[in-house]
């Protein structure tokens, strides 16, 4: 009753969660293209799916599923240890699920003489459990010991691992307490032993105490005569369902270990408690499937199939949107992308986690769910625009996500929302509006003390205002309406610095329009590092536009 | 000759043809390229944060040092970025120590043992125009080529040391090796506009327009670049904004290793050249080379 109630509750939560996910895939709108209604998106997705199924791509997709999902060939090529870790968990847990959890439906139908306590099932259950445990331990150690992994690991990465470990450990403990359980022995005797001859029971007890590790309270008597009689009886009545637990190489040591306390454990029916715990953890994992990264069991095969299907039909702009929404749920936060990220050193200096792809994806998922505070949108925008679109994250992603498309689409969306990079905003902002921003405290002191060219008068003091820099500047030459751009020209900026007008210099049009061609610096007769100065002023202006640093955001907050 | 290959961020996704043609030509010239996971050179982030730029560039230089190799890059912006990093690292000990302390976490250290070289400098100085001449099978005699220098390799000369910043000749000399005629054009050392592409589109396009007009005026058949960003500007960006193209799609932009590869009779597909998208004299050359 309790079992059924919790199972159905968990299934209900899981199913509702999956529906919620499905709705998200068809509604989340990332990218500058027209969004489309749920109906249009559904139709486009179904059509895309049908086109792939009835095309020559189908064998390719099926091969990819076989290779990259069942054998995880892609991961094998990219990272052997991660492949091993994932294969252990994937196959161990998958086989436990099919043959153990669903034994009534699957195993019993396949094997007519199936009993969970017969070999090879007894052995295999232990074996699969142990390999899952080994896989989760590798995963946990990697998460906590490799610096680059540790940096991005949060509770959402640890919770699923801990749940898996708890499922296996509670299972092994359960089996251990069942092995030593006298109450279970007594129930079985009641149910399966014809007649209740006390001498027969006595002999059977002797055999089960010695060979099957049941702990009786008070201890049973073991004599050669009893054993002989017991063996015969055991063969007749028990052996058809019970192998000796020697093959249960993981739960037997548990049983032996708890033997000293077995009498007490049997009395309080620890096996029943553990059975409930085992079910509870399993059902919790089931209920949480759509809400934790367990969901990748469903989404990753889908994203890998989509990658294999190519872009022909799936890249209709409506399907692109659906693919992007799906990608948010296809990410397992494994961190492979962030380990190869080309701009990781910038993340290290600037201190914005959202420069790293794995973290940017989490923010994107949050943004698509609810509106984030402006400060968070700004760090996301910064992360997006510092990305150089080098494509490495997309190439290493074991889930086959088209991250490149996601980043490009995000840049488009941010620009549409009025959140392009600060440089672009500075270009578009009139000087008088930009000026107040340039007088605020900057976000990082470190950024201002790197070069100090513009604080050091010897850098620009030699300027004689000859304006050669301005006459060779292509930006000045390209000014379409020079009379509206009277303040443009590098020599004006050096003059502002000479007059100690730092804020005016930071807000000046020249600083933000400079194309970094270095004509000014090359031609300066006074050898002033004009272009380097303009670079430094942009750095300084950038950090002032950012303003004081937002209170630092922890991994937990980012992932919640 | 063995060098650490630094393609830069944009090549992999945005301009794979540059990667393919560079590798093909250098492999024919028996220059060995070593591939390695390297991060961004720091060029784009230099607009925002000098330290982030410096750590990015220095990390790559330190990785090159650990391999005992010099860096080769086909991108002029990457080249310039490394050169700027080297310039300031050599002059500011405090800066160098701070960056090294960041690198120490990865057991890396910069101690100025690796240099960086641009593809054109490698061909001109290390391979040499005389030796290069020996590889040319089909001189591209009928072609008039406007060589586009690219700012970040050329200037500031005290940092980059690429060529004479006001009267460079290296690129024209290399174009001449292929048998093509380099044309002199007024704006050959000016900016393509790409550095401001995402930040100030109007200005970026205005600069490109002026350059194209100048090359056309000089009678060039095609524009030759040797920089990822410049090529993206003259190819992808120009195609997306046809109204700003005074040549109306003529004066195709080609990458130098593609030009050189054609004269060396390397197959078009190894140069990332698709004969279907080439026009005019360029298409003729590829057809003739078949």
């Amino acid at each position: 009753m309790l079992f059924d109630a919790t199972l159905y509750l968990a299934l209900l939560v899981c199913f509702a969660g999956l529906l919620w996910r499905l709705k998200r895939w068809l509604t989340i709108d990332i990218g500058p293209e027209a969004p489309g209604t749920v109906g249009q998106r559904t139709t486009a997705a179904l059509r895309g799916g049908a086109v792939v199924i009835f095309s020559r791509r189908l064998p390719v997709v099926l091969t990819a599923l076989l290779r990259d999902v069942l054998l995880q060939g892609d991961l094998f090529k990219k990272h052997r240890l991660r492949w091993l870790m994932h294969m252990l968990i994937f196959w161990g847990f998958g086989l436990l699920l099919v043959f153990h959890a669903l034994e009534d439906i699957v195993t019993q139908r396949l094997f007519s003489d199936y009993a969970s306590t017969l070999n090879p099932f007894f052995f295999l259950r232990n074996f699969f459990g142990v390999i899952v445990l080994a896989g989760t331990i590798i995963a946990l150690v990697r998460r906590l010991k490799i610096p680059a992994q540790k940096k991005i690991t949060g509770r959402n990465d640890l919770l699923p691992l801990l749940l898996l470990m708890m499922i296996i450990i509670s299972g092994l403990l359960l089996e251990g307490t069942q092995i030593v359980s006298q109450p279970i022995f007594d129930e079985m005797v009641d149910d399966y032993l014809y007649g209740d001859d006390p001498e027969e029971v006595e002999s059977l007890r002797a055999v089960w105490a010695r060979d099957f590790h049941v702990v009786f309270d008070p201890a049973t008597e073991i004599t050669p005569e009893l054993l002989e009689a017991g063996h015969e009886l055991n063969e007749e009545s028990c052996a058809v369902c019970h192998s000796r637990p020697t093959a249960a190489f993981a739960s037997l040591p548990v049983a032996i270990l708890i033997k000293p306390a077995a009498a007490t454990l049997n009395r309080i029916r620890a096996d029943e408690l553990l059975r409930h715990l085992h079910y509870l953890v399993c059902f919790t994992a089931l209920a949480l499937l759509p809400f934790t990264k367990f969901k990748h069991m469903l989404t990753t095969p889908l994203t890998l199939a989509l990658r294999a299907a190519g872009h022909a039909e799936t890249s209709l702009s409506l399907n692109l949107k659906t693919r992007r929404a799906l990608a948010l749920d296809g990410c397992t936060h494994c961190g492979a992308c962030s380990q190869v990220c080309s701009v990781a050193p910038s993340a290290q200096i600037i201190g914005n986690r959202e420069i790293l792809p794995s973290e940017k994806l989490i923010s994107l998922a949050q943004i698509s769910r609810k509106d984030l505070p402006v400060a968070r949108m700004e760090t996301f925008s910064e992360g997006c625009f510092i990305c150089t679109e080098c494509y490495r994250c997309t190439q290493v992603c074991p889930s086959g996500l088209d991250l490149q498309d996601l980043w490009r689409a995000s840049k488009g969306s941010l620009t549409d929302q009025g959140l392009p990079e600060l440089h672009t905003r500075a270009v578009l902002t009139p000087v008088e509006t930009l000026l107040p921003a340039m007088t605020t405290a900057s976000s990082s002191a470190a950024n201002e003390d790197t070069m100090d060219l513009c604080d050091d008068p010897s850098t620009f003091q030699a300027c004689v205002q000859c304006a050669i820099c301005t006459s060779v500047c292509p930006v000045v030459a390209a000014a379409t309406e020079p009379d509206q751009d009277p303040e443009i020209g590098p020599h004006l900026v050096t003059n502002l610095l000479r007059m100690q007008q730092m804020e005016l210099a930071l807000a000046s049009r020249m600083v933000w329009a400079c194309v970094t061609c270095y004509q000014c610096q090359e031609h300066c007769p006074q050898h002033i590092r004009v272009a380097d100065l303009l670079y430094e002023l942009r750095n300084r202006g950038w950090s002032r536009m950012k303003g004081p640093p937002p209170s630092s955001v922890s991994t937990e907050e980012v992932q919640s | 000759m063995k060098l650490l290959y630094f393609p830069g961020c944009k090549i992999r996704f945005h301009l794979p043809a540059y990667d393919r043609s560079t590798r093909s030509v250098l492999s024919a010239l028996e220059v060995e390229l070593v591939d390695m996971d390297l991060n961004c050179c720091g060029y784009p982030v230099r607009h925002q944060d000098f330290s982030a730029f410096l750590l990015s560039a220095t990390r790559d230089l330190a990785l090159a040092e650990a391999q005992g190799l010099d860096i080769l890059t086909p991108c002029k912006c990457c080249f310039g970025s490394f050169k700027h990093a080297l310039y300031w690292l050599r002059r500011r000990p405090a800066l160098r120590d701070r960056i090294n302390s960041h690198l120490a976490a990865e057991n890396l250290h910069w101690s100025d043992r690796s240099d960086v070289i641009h593809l054109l400098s490698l061909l001109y100085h290390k391979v040499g125009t005389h030796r290069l001449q020996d590889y040319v099978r089909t001189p591209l005699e009928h072609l008039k080529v406007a060589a586009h220098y690219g700012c970040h390799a050329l200037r500031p000369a005290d940092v980059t040391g690429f060529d004479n910043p006001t009267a460079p000749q290296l690129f024209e000399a290399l174009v001449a090796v292929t048998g093509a005629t380099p044309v002199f054009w007024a704006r050959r050392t000016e900016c393509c506009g790409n550095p401001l592409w995402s930040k100030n589109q109007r200005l970026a396009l205005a600069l490109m327009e002026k350059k194209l007009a100048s090359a056309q005026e000089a009678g060039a058949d095609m524009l030759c670049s040797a920089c990822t960003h410049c090529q993206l500007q003259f190819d992808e960006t120009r195609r997306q904004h046809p109204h700003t193209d005074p040549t109306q799609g003529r004066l195709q932009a080609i990458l130098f290793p593609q030009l050189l590869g054609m004269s060396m009779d390397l197959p078009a597909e190894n140069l990332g050249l698709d004969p279907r998208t080439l026009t005019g004299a360029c298409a003729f050359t590829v057809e003739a080379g078949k």
Side-chain angles (χ1 to χ4, degrees), chain A residues 389 392 450 517-518 522 539, chain B residues 14 38 46 50-51 155 157:
Chain A
E389 299 178 15
R392 284 160 85 172
T450 50
C517 74
Y518 277 91
E522 196 65 66
N539 282 193
Chain B
H14 290 273
L38 298 164
R46 199 174 152 214
F50 184 81
S51 301
R155 291 180 298 265

Side-chain angles (χ1 to χ4, degrees), chain A residues 278-473:
Chain A
H278 187 59
Y279 289 155
L280 190 68
V281 187
C282 290
F283 296 158
T284 308
L286 177 64
L288 288 180
L289 187 140
F291 310 100
T292 57
K293 67 183 191 180
F294 285 138
K295 65 181 176 286
H296 84 275
M297 290 186 270
L298 304 172
T299 50
T300 302
L302 208 51
T303 51
L304 284 169
L306 281 171
R307 180 177 69 178
H311 286 265
E313 187 68 17
T314 51
S315 65
L316 284 173
S317 76
L318 285 176
N319 280 340
L320 262 181
K321 298 240 165 187
T322 307
R323 278 184 75 156
R324 286 172 194 152
L326 188 62
L328 298 179
D329 289 345
C331 173
T332 63
H333 201 238
C334 71
C337 50
S338 293
Q339 280 184 20
V340 298
C341 178
S342 278
V343 291
S346 295
Q348 195 181 332
I349 295 281
I350 297 170
N352 177 356
R353 306 166 52 84
E354 286 161 273
I355 291 172
L356 299 173
S358 60
E359 310 314 290
K360 208 158 49 175
L361 197 75
I362 291 174
S363 301
L364 187 55
Q366 289 177 310
I367 289 166
S368 53
R369 201 159 59 215
K370 57 181 184 235
D371 290 334
L372 291 187
V374 178
R376 283 291 313 282
M377 287 303 291
E378 288 291 0
T379 56
F380 176 69
S381 170
E382 181 177 280
C384 280
F385 284 100
I386 280 179
C387 163
T388 57
E389 299 178 15
C390 75
Y391 201 43
R392 284 160 85 172
C393 54
T394 312
Q395 287 182 319
V396 299
C397 178
S399 296
L401 307 182
D402 191 349
L403 297 169
Q404 181 85 336
D405 171 62
L406 221 44
W407 309 146
R408 287 159 62 85
S410 297
K411 287 184 193 183
S413 293
L414 284 165
T415 305
D416 288 352
Q417 292 164 34
L419 287 168
E421 57 182 314
L422 292 176
H423 192 141
T424 313
R425 281 183 251 175
V427 167
L428 298 171
T429 312
V431 177
E432 53 281 14
T433 319
L434 194 56
L435 195 55
M438 293 306 167
T439 54
T440 59
S442 69
S443 73
S444 66
N447 191 24
E448 298 216 351
D449 68 7
T450 50
M451 294 278 284
D452 301 325
L453 291 177
C454 51
D455 286 334
D456 178 5
S458 71
T459 315
F460 47 80
Q461 220 160 27
C463 176
V464 292
Q465 292 289 297
C466 67
I468 286 180
C469 52
T470 298
S471 59
V472 295
C473 176

Side-chain angles (χ1 to χ4, degrees), chain B residues 114-127:
Chain B
S114 284
D115 202 1
V116 56
I117 186 166
H118 183 262
L119 175 65
L120 292 188
S121 311
L122 173 83
L123 295 173
Y124 186 84
H125 294 294
K126 303 274 162 125
V127 179

